[in-house]
Each structure stands twice: as structure tokens, then as C-alpha cells.
Amino acid sequence: MAQAQDTTVDGEGDESVIIVTGTSLRGEQFQAKAPVDVFTEAEIKEAGFATITDLVRNIPANYGSEANVASFTQNNTLGTAQINLRGLGLGATLVLINNRRMTFSGTFANDGSQFVDINQIPLSLIQRAEVVKTGASAIYGSDAVAGVVNFVTRQDFDGIEFDGQFQTTTEDSQEDITLNFLAGFGSDTTRLTLAGTYFDRSELRFTDREFTGRGTEIEIATAKPGSFVLLAPPQNPAFAGAPVRVPLVDPSCTAAGGNPIQTPGGGFCQVSTRDQFALVPSEERVALWADLRHEGPGGFGAFLEASYSESKASLPRCPERVRRVP
């Protein structure tokens, strides 16, 4: 319904003003507010996070991600961090940066799915993190079944900022070194923001701690060195007369520091393999980010975002004494 009224404007003639008090336009019938958690820059600093991985671990709705330091829960994902809202899978959460999709990591998760490695983002660059904890696939697509996480970067920072952290828990523990920097320059129309993170973590082996290094018994190894089974009569004269389908002691057992034993079920090599495993693998990571923005006349604007990241993670190599002897 509309009603016309006459009005007089100073210096001008009569004008008709139409005031709309109601329309027959159909409104949205199904509107609902999605629950959103926001982690601000101040909250991130007050929490004392060293890396963005620490931030991810503290998102209440995030569980099931492979962003751990234990080498037993991560295989191809060593050195990476992901978001897994409500445990629906690493590929079910959409990750955005400044409202744009981030690229997938070059590796894949234990279940074969692709994911976004958020270790590509320097922590000093984050202004806030917005977490939509409900499914948003109707808006964003199937990669947002579990929800959406949007990282908003700092674009108005002016100056240079450095910080570093050194973390260790006990005398026999890994050591973490983290270095962050942030720099911002420019004018009212053009701004350049640079950010970077360097992270280095030392290795922690089973044998570095007494209660994990000694064990309760000596393991019986079945490979490298250990035992093997012949599936057919051997062609090699060195194994002439060896029984078929019965475990045989690896010839390298003694040279590797093991103890050959014979049981009714066959021969085995009794050797400790604890020094071949790590509680925490070593990691080294570099993440760099550059953001250039320009605002021209008439509302024209342009921006350029560039990032570089390199991550290395390694498990302990097999010691010389347990390598197979020719």
C-alpha cells in the first residue's frame, strides 16, 4: 500500500513523496542464525598461542583433526594441521582466508581425503578467526558439510613486530622454537603487509625417557632383523635343507645386537626396537605471507595476496646396529 503526500521544498516547486507502508513482495520464510564463534586478535594474544596449530586445538567444535605431535596418529599429515569440525572428516570443513577458499595441501589424510594445511598461515597475520559450527553446504557446497572457518588477516597494521617463544616441558622432552614477524607499510590508498613464521621442533625418541625406553620385556622382532618364512624350497645353496613355511631366524640377528631364539613354532630374533620409534617427530616449518592493496578513485580497488610455505617432518632413522647386514 502506498500513500502520496504533497510537500514543498524551499527553493523548489511542489514534489510528491511516496511513502511505502506495505508491499506484496514475498519475504524469506526460512531464516535462522547460525552459531558463530569468533576468536579475536586480543584473545589469541592473551592465550599465548605460539603457532596457529595451538589456535586450532582450542576451537571447541574441532575434534578428530590430525594436528597432534604424536607420530602414531599422523602418517602423511606429519607437520601439518587441519580443522575437523564435529569430527565429520578433514575434507568436510571449508577453510577460508579473507572470505576466499584456501588451496589444498600437497599431501592427504590417513583416510585418503584432501584438506587445507593451516600451517601455511603465520599466526601473527591473524586478526580474527570466525567459526560457523553448523553445516553450510547449501551456500558453500559439499566441502562445508561440517561448517566453515574463516581467517581474517590484519591489513591495517603499521610498523614492525617481532616475537619468539621457546618451549620445553622437562629435561627429557622435545624443544620448540617459534619466531614470528609482522610488518606493515603504506599510505591511505596503498598498503603492504608482510608476515612470517619459523618453527623448529626437536625429536623425542622412546629411549630419551626412562619409563618409555626400558619397556617391560624384550620385543621379538619379525622383520629387520627378525624372522622370515620360505614359501617354496630354496634355490639358494646357503639355505639348502631349510624347512618350508616355518619361521627362520634372520641371519643378521646377532650382528644387529639381537638374540636368536628357537621355539616350537620356529626361530625368531629377540631384539629391542624401541630406539627405532619417536614419541614426537622432528619438524621444521617456514610460512611467509605478503598482502598488497590499493584503493583508487571512484571506488576502484585491487589487491594481491601471495604466500609461501615449506614444511619438513621426519621420523627417526633405523640405527646402524639394526640395519640388515649383507
Side-chain angles (χ1 to χ4, degrees):
M1 179 177 64
Q3 179 181 2
Q5 296 179 346
D6 293 336
T7 181
T8 301
V9 180
D10 294 341
E12 298 181 3
D14 294 341
E15 293 186 358
S16 297
V17 178
I18 299 178
I19 302 176
V20 179
T21 59
T23 71
S24 60
L25 297 178
R26 181 174 300 176
E28 181 62 49
Q29 301 297 321
F30 302 97
Q31 290 186 350
K33 293 182 179 180
V36 179
D37 287 343
V38 178
F39 297 85
T40 64
E41 178 186 347
E43 293 173 337
I44 295 174
K45 289 185 176 181
E46 290 175 359
F49 297 146
T51 64
I52 197 169
T53 305
D54 299 329
L55 170 61
V56 170
R57 291 199 192 101
N58 284 269
I59 297 177
N62 177 54
Y63 54 88
S65 63
E66 299 172 14
N68 305 305
V69 297
S71 58
F72 298 99
T73 57
Q74 291 183 273
N75 294 315
N76 293 318
T77 58
L78 279 175
T80 67
Q82 326 82 16
I83 301 175
N84 188 356
L85 294 181
R86 297 182 290 163
L88 295 181
L90 303 185
T93 300
L94 177 62
V95 181
L96 308 175
I97 185 163
N98 295 328
N99 303 316
R100 290 179 294 275
R101 278 175 164 81
M102 291 190 62
T103 57
F104 287 121
S105 171
T107 185
F108 51 89
N110 292 338
D111 60 0
S113 61
Q114 290 184 297
F115 62 90
V116 172
D117 180 15
I118 63 169
N119 278 337
Q120 304 175 61
I121 310 174
L123 180 64
S124 58
L125 185 69
I126 302 301
Q127 184 179 46
R128 69 179 183 274
E130 304 166 341
V131 182
V132 180
K133 299 183 294 183
T134 60
S137 57
I139 300 175
Y140 296 99
S142 59
D143 51 353
V145 171
V148 182
V149 177
N150 181 37
F151 294 101
V152 180
T153 62
R154 300 172 66 178
Q155 301 170 6
D156 57 353
F157 180 77
D158 193 7
I160 300 177
E161 179 180 278
F162 290 94
D163 73 81
Q165 292 191 26
F166 174 80
Q167 294 182 347
T168 185
T169 53
T170 63
E171 181 178 354
D172 299 319
S173 180
Q174 88 277 0
E175 298 177 350
D176 295 352
I177 299 175
T178 307
L179 301 175
N180 294 303
F181 85 89
L182 178 68
F185 313 94
S187 60
D188 294 337
T189 58
T190 304
R191 295 203 59 80
L192 174 64
T193 303
L194 303 173
T197 292
Y198 172 77
F199 176 77
D200 181 77
R201 168 172 287 155
S202 63
E203 180 184 81
L204 176 62
R205 289 178 176 246
F206 262 85
T207 52
D208 291 340
R209 289 182 173 177
E210 183 180 358
F211 68 93
T212 57
R214 63 170 182 261
T216 56
E217 61 183 9
I218 298 179
E219 293 86 350
I220 295 179
T222 57
K224 294 185 179 181
S227 63
F228 62 95
V229 177
L230 296 175
L231 300 180
Q235 302 296 324
N236 191 331
F239 294 95
V244 178
R245 300 185 183 277
V246 176
L248 303 176
V249 178
D250 191 321
S252 302
C253 179
T254 303
N259 178 32
I261 61 173
Q262 293 292 332
T263 69
F268 298 91
C269 183
Q270 196 174 42
V271 61
S272 176
T273 58
R274 291 180 178 270
D275 53 358
Q276 302 179 36
F277 297 95
L279 293 170
V280 178
S282 62
E283 293 184 39
E284 186 177 11
R285 184 167 59 251
V286 175
L288 302 174
W289 183 276
D291 186 311
L292 178 62
R293 297 179 180 272
H294 175 75
E295 295 183 5
F300 172 80
F303 69 91
L304 173 65
E305 295 176 344
S307 65
Y308 170 83
S309 65
E310 181 178 357
S311 180
K312 299 179 181 179
S314 61
L315 295 173
R317 298 181 61 186
C318 186
E320 290 291 340
R321 71 172 186 83
V322 296
R323 291 182 183 173
R324 183 176 296 278
V325 178

